Amino acid sequence: MLQVFLDPATINSRKVLAGLELLGMPYEIKHVNYFAGAHKQPDYLSLNPNGTLPAAKDGDYTLWESDAILQYAADLKGSDSHYPKDPKKRADIHRWMLWEAAHWQPSCYIFFIENAVKPLMKAPTDKALVEKEMTNWRRLAGILDARLAKSKWLAGDTVTIADIAVAAPMHMHKRQGLPVDDFPNLKRWIAEVEKLPCWQKTQGAVEAALTPH
Ligand SMILES: N[C@@H](CCC(=O)N[C@@H](CS)C(=O)NCC(=O)O)C(=O)O
């Protein structure tokens, strides 16, 4: 069985969990406590030398990078609907996943850390950083909004792993302080994502981890 090493509250962990649920891929969670810094300990670093979550193991095979984990799982599952083999459809999905990893996730991550994680850790939010990043976030959200004006899901009429990958960085958009209401197609799409059973099933763990305890 695929083992996933993660903390459900973090963006890239949530991405993998919701993606595996979408695919109907069986998995076993090995919890790595992000808030306690367990991802920086030698045990975890031997799996993922980046010291970032998540990582996965399939027997002796180890993998990190959340999008690579999702693509691997989708191939194992052979789900043509969620990860089509047609070269153009697949390239479109890769395009959005690469864009997400290179641009969208780093931008959304700033809001996640500053507006969701730091208040929980009783650390001060860097308001100047948030304000500075907002210009970039709005530019990126505009790109997504324009794409989502054309179809229900990012890669067409069917939900794919690209939707999960791109939705995960904004999974706590209210708490992150992201102005989603200013982007009507993005707003419509994230509401659709939030209705997916795979999303709902993985929401409770996120809320629990981000509730002071
Ligand atoms: N591109 C990586 C990013 C992983 C990443 O940055 N994960 C965050 C949690 S969402 C993390 O572990 N951050 C801790 C750190 O950077 O020290 C992936 O998609 O797996």
Side-chain angles (χ1 to χ4, degrees), residues 10-12 15 34 39-40 51-54 65-67 105 109:
T10 71
I11 282 173
N12 293 296
K15 180 197 293 176
Y34 172 80
H39 54 303
K40 303 294 182 194
T52 54
L53 297 170
E65 280 299 326
S66 55
D67 290 317
Q105 192 260 321
Y109 195 62

Side-chain angles (χ1 to χ4, degrees), residues 77-109:
K77 192 74 188 153
S79 168
D80 203 59
S81 158
H82 300 125
Y83 191 41
K85 292 183 186 63
D86 171 78
K88 288 199 174 69
K89 287 187 187 160
R90 188 162 278 212
D92 194 23
I93 289 169
H94 288 174
R95 173 241 302 271
W96 285 111
M97 293 177 94
L98 289 163
W99 179 85
E100 173 264 321
H103 305 289
W104 184 238
Q105 192 260 321
S107 181
C108 292
Y109 195 62

Side-chain angles (χ1 to χ4, degrees), residues 31-210:
H31 192 257
V32 182
N33 192 326
Y34 172 80
F35 295 96
H39 54 303
K40 303 294 182 194
Q41 298 306 312
D43 270 11
Y44 183 76
L45 289 172
S46 68
L47 272 180
N48 181 353
N50 297 291
T52 54
L53 297 170
K57 266 187 95 172
D58 184 14
D60 293 340
Y61 183 66
T62 302
L63 194 58
W64 37 263
E65 280 299 326
S66 55
D67 290 317
I69 295 169
L70 271 194
Q71 290 167 358
Y72 175 70
D75 268 338
L76 282 186
K77 192 74 188 153
S79 168
D80 203 59
S81 158
H82 300 125
Y83 191 41
K85 292 183 186 63
D86 171 78
K88 288 199 174 69
K89 287 187 187 160
R90 188 162 278 212
D92 194 23
I93 289 169
H94 288 174
R95 173 241 302 271
W96 285 111
M97 293 177 94
L98 289 163
W99 179 85
E100 173 264 321
H103 305 289
W104 184 238
Q105 192 260 321
S107 181
C108 292
Y109 195 62
I110 289 174
F111 297 88
F112 182 72
I113 295 297
E114 297 300 328
N115 289 336
V117 174
K118 281 195 176 172
L120 198 65
M121 312 283 269
K122 302 202 176 358
T125 295
D126 184 341
K127 293 205 169 100
L129 178 64
V130 168
E131 197 176 321
K132 184 166 170 268
E133 186 57 26
M134 190 55 92
T135 307
N136 186 41
W137 189 87
R138 284 184 174 278
R139 181 181 68 81
L140 297 169
I143 292 169
L144 260 184
D145 195 67
R147 173 64 190 90
L148 290 164
K150 295 187 184 141
S151 58
K152 180 170 179 191
W153 301 104
L154 261 180
D157 297 335
T158 310
V159 61
T160 68
I161 56 172
D163 293 288
I164 301 301
V166 175
M170 56 186 292
H171 72 155
M172 300 298 287
H173 56 91
K174 287 200 178 69
R175 210 188 284 219
Q176 286 169 266
L178 298 172
V180 172
D181 287 355
D182 296 351
F183 299 88
N185 302 294
L186 183 58
K187 185 179 172 187
R188 188 262 311 148
W189 167 82
I190 194 68
E192 292 292 339
V193 171
E194 285 164 353
K195 282 187 227 153
L196 293 170
C198 70
W199 202 260
Q200 296 192 347
K201 190 167 173 191
T202 50
Q203 185 69 21
V206 177
E207 305 278 357
L210 290 177

